[in-house]
Amino acid sequence: MYGDDDFSAELAAGLDPDSWVWLPGVDYAAGWRVARRTADELNGLLALCGVKRSALRAIADTDAQGGPVVRLEGIAEGWLSLEELLCLAAHARDELA
């Protein structure tokens, strides 16, 4: 890649075949449907809290065995919003205790 050997090495080191190779007989669709419902619920909660979908969103996925996985993906603005929400929740929890 234009003489950038470090980039190629980092890219190759980050590849995990267990995370992208599909196995025969595994029902990935079922796991994804569960993850999708959960991601939709989380995205709804984030929206209710004023977090823009373009800043932070939950994404449905599956693991190598077909289990549901929900990933959070976002930009710095979204992560800062989540940090603020978690701090508020922690403070509210402390007040209730």
Side-chain angles (χ1 to χ4, degrees), residues 91-97:
H91 181 71
R93 184 178 178 156
D94 286 344
E95 286 183 357
L96 294 174

Side-chain angles (χ1 to χ4, degrees), residues 26-96:
V26 175
D27 186 4
Y28 292 98
W32 183 84
R33 283 191 297 272
V34 171
R36 176 63 188 259
R37 283 191 298 273
T38 304
D40 287 347
E41 290 174 13
L42 182 53
N43 284 326
L45 287 171
L46 289 169
L48 286 173
C49 292
V51 179
K52 297 176 189 171
R53 194 173 188 330
S54 60
L56 185 66
R57 68 181 181 272
I59 301 168
D61 201 353
T62 61
D63 62 17
Q65 292 75 37
V69 173
V70 176
R71 295 181 291 113
L72 281 176
E73 183 176 284
I75 60 174
E77 174 189 341
W79 290 108
L80 291 172
S81 294
L82 180 60
E83 178 185 22
E84 182 180 351
L85 290 168
L86 291 172
C87 286
L88 289 169
H91 181 71
R93 184 178 178 156
D94 286 344
E95 286 183 357
L96 294 174

